[in-house]
Amino acid sequence: MKSRVAHPSWIEVDLGQFRKNIGLVREHIGKALYCLPVKANAYGHGLKEIGREAEAAGVDYLGVAHLQEGIELRDAGVKIPILVLGAIHEDQVDELIEHRLEFSISSKMKADFVARRCQGKCRVHLEVDTGMHRTGVRSSTAIELMRHLRDLKVFDVVGIYSHFATSGDAFSQKQMESFQTLLEEPIFKEQQLIRHIANSSGIMHFRELDMVRPSLITFGYGQLGVAPCFTLKSKVSYFKVVEKGEGISYGHTYVTKKKTRIVTVPIGYGDGYRRALSNRGHVLIRGKRYPIAGTICMDQFMVDVGDDAIFVGDEVVLIGKQVSEEILLTEIAELCQTIPYEILCQFNSRLPRVYL
Ligand SMILES: *Cc1c(COP(=O)(O)O)cnc(C)c1O
């Protein structure tokens, strides 16, 4: 599925690598069901394409944050179960059912409004808060809510789940234990529920329950031999020679130390390439690292290439590999004082996704 790139900057997604990652995670999780959360445009990789590819590669479930993401996947022809992880609103119930989306029930109030609107059966997962304190019913009231769901008849409770607040430490151990203690209650053992809690970090630290929800590692960030399938690219759009002592870009925060060549790269914070990388980040051109010179503008920024012969049209790699050099996602995230997740999801629709 190669498409021609007319836009000066784009994201390449290597679907072959994505499939390899799925295979590696699959091997690790054994018999557990594989739910791939694809929220936030599949961590920036493209919701529809990743959803379809994951389905084709044998992933069992997709996870989304909101109704709209689930509808997009159904419209893209995805048939496997989709679980809406985020809390739902009353006015979404009809569409959730219409699009065969499974969703989370995390309070009696939500159960009641669903029951009022739902004709037929709704497939739901009971969400339990074991320490994240975001959404989910407290463990202590989970039994009561489960009874209530059974009484209401419209619910087909297919799963029960929780979510870790931390990564492989004593607290996540505590969460795991309190979840397992709850699961020992007869009401949760009487019927076969899909029990799930682990995200990417969770699958590295805990034995699988019935299902896992590892996303970041499926996109290639983590252990198990996975590799990223995401490369951010652009092409040099302009070139000039600048004398010693000249300021570059808004505010002249970069001043040339000698006569040098400055090239322009047509991507900026308007695409999601963070301004925090001004004078700090690097890019790859012709297999070599060069520093960003001056502040990043909305649509472009400059790079100091010294005396090197770089030409208009040369490919620029901003995240990913070029020849034997690599700019890691973690390097960009650290420079921006954030986590890799945030960097991946912030690239917007101005950047076309190209699938290899
Ligand atoms: C996003 C999300 C995940 C996936 O987390 P990773 O750290 O990317 O594996 C799992 N579960 C829930 C509820 C999520 O919101």
Side-chain angles (χ1 to χ4, degrees):
M1 211 203 322
K2 274 193 182 140
S3 57
R4 244 190 60 73
V5 175
H7 195 276
S9 305
W10 67 100
I11 289 165
E12 268 177 28
V13 180
D14 181 346
L15 291 176
Q17 185 61 52
F18 176 63
R19 273 182 180 250
K20 259 187 224 166
N21 296 342
I22 290 176
L24 290 162
V25 172
R26 174 66 85 187
E27 224 169 88
H28 177 79
I29 63 174
K31 288 196 169 57
L33 290 171
Y34 192 157
C35 172
L36 178 66
V38 289
K39 60 209 191 204
N41 200 23
Y43 288 37
H45 292 66
L47 179 63
K48 290 181 180 159
E49 293 80 1
I50 289 295
R52 285 198 205 107
E53 193 67 22
E55 178 173 50
V59 160
D60 303 292
Y61 251 87
L62 296 175
V64 294
H66 306 303
L67 164 68
Q68 200 51 44
E69 295 173 324
I71 294 177
E72 261 181 66
L73 286 168
R74 287 288 181 242
D75 287 348
V78 169
K79 302 271 189 299
I80 54 176
I82 298 172
L83 170 58
V84 177
L85 295 157
I88 57 155
H89 290 286
E90 181 160 8
D91 56 10
Q92 297 176 328
V93 175
D94 298 342
E95 284 188 287
L96 285 165
I97 296 162
E98 184 192 333
H99 293 94
R100 291 172 295 109
L101 302 171
E102 297 180 13
F103 53 94
S104 310
I105 291 291
S106 53
S107 71
K108 181 171 179 299
M109 188 259 277
K110 296 203 186 265
D112 289 341
F113 70 56
V114 172
R116 271 202 303 277
R117 301 192 65 130
C118 177
Q119 294 143 4
K121 284 267 182 189
C122 301
R123 287 170 67 85
V124 297
H125 295 238
L126 180 62
E127 188 191 0
V128 184
D129 178 13
T130 53
M132 174 75 175
H133 302 315
R134 184 169 65 180
T135 48
V137 64
R138 252 184 276 271
S139 291
S140 53
T141 42
I143 299 167
E144 204 181 304
L145 181 57
M146 183 68 182
R147 263 194 219 114
H148 188 59
L149 290 176
R150 283 201 319 200
D151 292 346
L152 284 171
K153 303 288 185 243
V154 298
F155 292 106
D156 189 2
V157 184
V158 293
I160 178 166
Y161 78 100
S162 193
H163 189 57
F164 288 124
T166 62
S167 165
D169 62 1
F171 190 76
S172 55
Q173 184 70 44
K174 225 178 95 183
Q175 281 191 265
M176 187 66 170
E177 281 161 18
S178 75
F179 190 49
Q180 280 180 313
T181 306
L182 181 68
L183 294 174
E184 286 305 311
E185 292 291 335
I187 193 164
F188 298 120
K189 295 184 96 176
E190 279 162 16
Q191 91 187 75
Q192 272 228 323
L193 294 172
I194 304 172
R195 302 161 300 172
H196 49 115
I197 185 167
N199 57 355
S200 294
S201 157
I203 67 165
M204 303 311 300
H205 294 97
F206 298 100
R207 246 197 44 234
E208 301 72 32
L209 299 174
D210 304 309
M211 185 157 83
V212 293
R213 307 187 307 267
S215 220
L216 192 67
I217 194 165
T218 306
F219 290 113
Y221 305 96
Q223 300 166 48
L224 306 178
V226 298
C229 43
F230 178 105
T231 308
L232 177 60
K233 289 186 171 179
S234 187
K235 276 182 187 169
V236 172
S237 62
Y238 204 86
F239 156 87
K240 58 164 50 81
V241 175
V242 175
E243 294 299 326
K244 177 180 170 178
E246 297 282 352
I248 307 291
S249 194
Y250 290 125
H252 283 181
T253 56
Y254 185 88
V255 178
T256 53
K257 293 193 183 67
K258 59 181 184 65
K259 182 174 175 176
T260 190
R261 294 164 184 239
I262 297 288
V263 298
T264 302
V265 182
I267 175 173
Y269 61 78
D271 303 274
Y273 191 70
R274 292 272 281 266
R275 194 166 173 278
L277 296 164
S278 302
N279 292 314
R280 306 176 75 203
H282 288 77
V283 301
L284 307 177
I285 312 173
R286 294 184 172 245
K288 201 171 151 187
R289 251 174 197 267
Y290 295 102
I292 291 172
T295 49
I296 288 168
C297 313
M298 192 182 290
D299 316 304
Q300 47 202 326
F301 65 86
M302 276 64 85
V303 174
D304 189 340
V305 299
D307 298 326
D308 291 351
I310 301 292
F311 301 98
V312 168
D314 280 354
E315 188 173 278
V316 182
V317 168
L318 300 98
I319 298 176
K321 277 190 190 145
Q322 192 185 56
V323 195
S324 54
E325 270 286 347
E326 182 169 12
I327 309 253
L328 294 171
L329 178 63
T330 46
E331 171 184 339
I332 299 291
E334 275 162 31
L335 289 173
C336 297
Q337 299 186 344
T338 184
I339 52 174
Y341 298 80
E342 192 186 15
I343 299 294
L344 283 177
C345 331
Q346 74 195 356
F347 296 110
N348 58 40
S349 58
R350 258 215 320 190
L351 296 170
R353 272 67 173 173
V354 179
Y355 296 90
L356 307 180

